[in-house]
Amino acid sequence: MRSRVWRVTTTLDLTPARDTDDCCPGASCELLDADESEALAQVFKALGDPTRVRLLRYLARSHDGTACACHLPAALGISQPTLSFHLGKLHDAGLVTREKRGRWVHWTVLPEALAGARALLGIDAWCTPDGCPPGCCPAGCC
Amino acid sequence: MRSRVWRVTTTLDLTPARDTDDCCPGASCELLDADESEALAQVFKALGDPTRVRLLRYLARSHDGTACACHLPAALGISQPTLSFHLGKLHDAGLVTREKRGRWVHWTVLPEALAGARALLGIDAWCTPDGCPPGCCPAGCC
DNA sequence: ATCTCATATTGACAATCGTCCATGTATGGC
DNA sequence: GCCATACATGGACGATTGTCAATATGAGAT
């Protein structure tokens, strides 16, 4: 998770699933590229823990998106190494930056790192039971 | 992850971290409630795997947000039990519904289950190094 | 130089995850 | 009825995760 290979996609391979089966004659929906889905999953994995959700939201509400972590172990009810572990995870995922100021470390959100996640969750482009955007995949199957 | 206890928050407890320390005199940023952050983390955890990212996006691009899974093991290069495992995870997180039609199961996205995640990631309300929305927390610390 | 304090790292451990094979279950077709 | 098929479940197993205690690192303060 450092490489960013956006925009690459592959189509669902529908070469004869079973020779005599006419299931899904029209379906040809795109499947997200493996690299891109891996990168997105890394971001979501970083958010997949309640402590880290709280940390990110805390930073996202702190002035300039920056705060020190000094009071957080007590506030969150976790040990200092555990806090360090979680901030490290956010950092590894590219969601925050570290900056040492004197004796303390200040953490800052990097909102642009969430662009991919936000795009995936962007409901405007979704097909839903209530309707589909133009150009969506045909209902082809079974 | 079935209980939805939104909107509850708690404030950072700044009762004397250390008696004689005047660190963070003005800081009083909100920390997301434990229940709500747990619920959000469950959703993100469900998305924290490349296969599940691909599955959700596949459904989100299929007509009416619905598709059968019949061709997916081959297309994704995974076994049928593994696919079942991942779809089960998405289902447990409330992101998709199962509907048995004849011999096949059809899966449908539930976009409203992502409302919380979308709200957290909604950059408009974020403090960033480039600026803060009105009413953000004071820079108080260290 | 030494001490203090904020943070990172290491090591240990239980718990969960992702994967598959083998088997169970239910549905439709004959 | 019986068989084939789509999917779920149970068991196994290695890999990863989240946690803490103990320790290391590194920067101000004295």
Side-chain angles (χ1 to χ4, degrees):
Chain A
M1 159 64 192
R2 203 50 346 145
S3 60
R4 290 282 169 71
V5 197
W6 302 111
R7 285 298 84 73
V8 192
T9 52
T10 187
T11 54
L12 218 186
D13 180 11
L14 291 180
T15 43
R18 289 183 356 277
D19 297 338
T20 59
D21 195 345
D22 61 348
C23 170
C24 305
S28 64
C29 234
E30 278 182 344
L31 220 42
L32 196 60
D33 178 75
D35 289 343
E36 188 170 355
S37 45
E38 177 64 48
L40 281 168
Q42 288 300 323
V43 170
F44 287 125
K45 206 173 294 186
L47 295 172
D49 179 278
T51 298
R52 293 197 290 269
V53 166
R54 300 177 97 182
L55 287 173
L56 197 73
R57 209 196 78 135
Y58 176 71
L59 290 181
R61 297 201 160 208
S62 298
H63 193 258
D64 286 343
T66 298
C68 83
C70 38
H71 298 291
L72 290 173
L76 293 167
I78 59 178
S79 69
Q80 176 270 320
T82 299
L83 176 64
S84 192
F85 167 81
H86 286 299
L87 286 169
K89 288 277 185 185
L90 292 176
H91 187 249
D92 289 348
L95 303 184
V96 301
T97 55
R98 279 175 42 96
E99 184 200 354
K100 198 152 192 175
R101 290 192 207 163
R103 206 162 13 177
W104 290 276
V105 172
H106 281 237
W107 299 88
T108 304
V109 289
L110 282 176
E112 60 273 24
L114 293 170
R118 236 179 281 115
L120 177 66
L121 268 44
I123 193 169
D124 299 340
W126 278 40
C127 300
T128 80
D130 299 329
C132 297
C136 97
C137 297
C141 193
C142 313
Chain B
M1 160 63 193
R2 199 62 332 152
S3 60
R4 290 281 169 74
V5 197
W6 303 112
R7 287 298 83 76
V8 192
T9 52
T10 187
T11 54
L12 217 186
D13 180 10
L14 291 181
T15 42
R18 289 181 357 276
D19 297 337
T20 57
D21 195 346
D22 61 349
C23 170
C24 305
S28 63
C29 233
E30 278 181 345
L31 220 40
L32 196 60
D33 178 74
D35 289 344
E36 188 171 355
S37 44
E38 177 65 47
L40 280 169
Q42 289 300 323
V43 171
F44 287 125
K45 206 172 295 185
L47 294 172
D49 179 279
T51 298
R52 294 197 290 271
V53 167
R54 300 177 96 180
L55 286 173
L56 197 74
R57 210 196 76 135
Y58 176 72
L59 290 180
R61 298 201 160 207
S62 299
H63 193 257
D64 287 343
T66 297
C68 84
C70 37
H71 298 291
L72 290 174
L76 292 167
I78 59 179
S79 70
Q80 176 269 318
T82 299
L83 176 64
S84 192
F85 167 80
H86 286 299
L87 286 168
K89 287 280 183 183
L90 291 175
H91 187 250
D92 289 349
L95 303 184
V96 300
T97 55
R98 278 177 42 99
E99 185 202 351
K100 197 153 192 176
R101 290 190 206 164
R103 206 159 15 175
W104 290 277
V105 172
H106 282 237
W107 299 88
T108 303
V109 288
L110 283 176
E112 60 273 23
L114 293 170
R118 236 178 283 115
L120 176 66
L121 267 44
I123 193 168
D124 299 340
W126 277 40
C127 299
T128 78
D130 298 329
C132 297
C136 95
C137 297
C141 192
C142 312

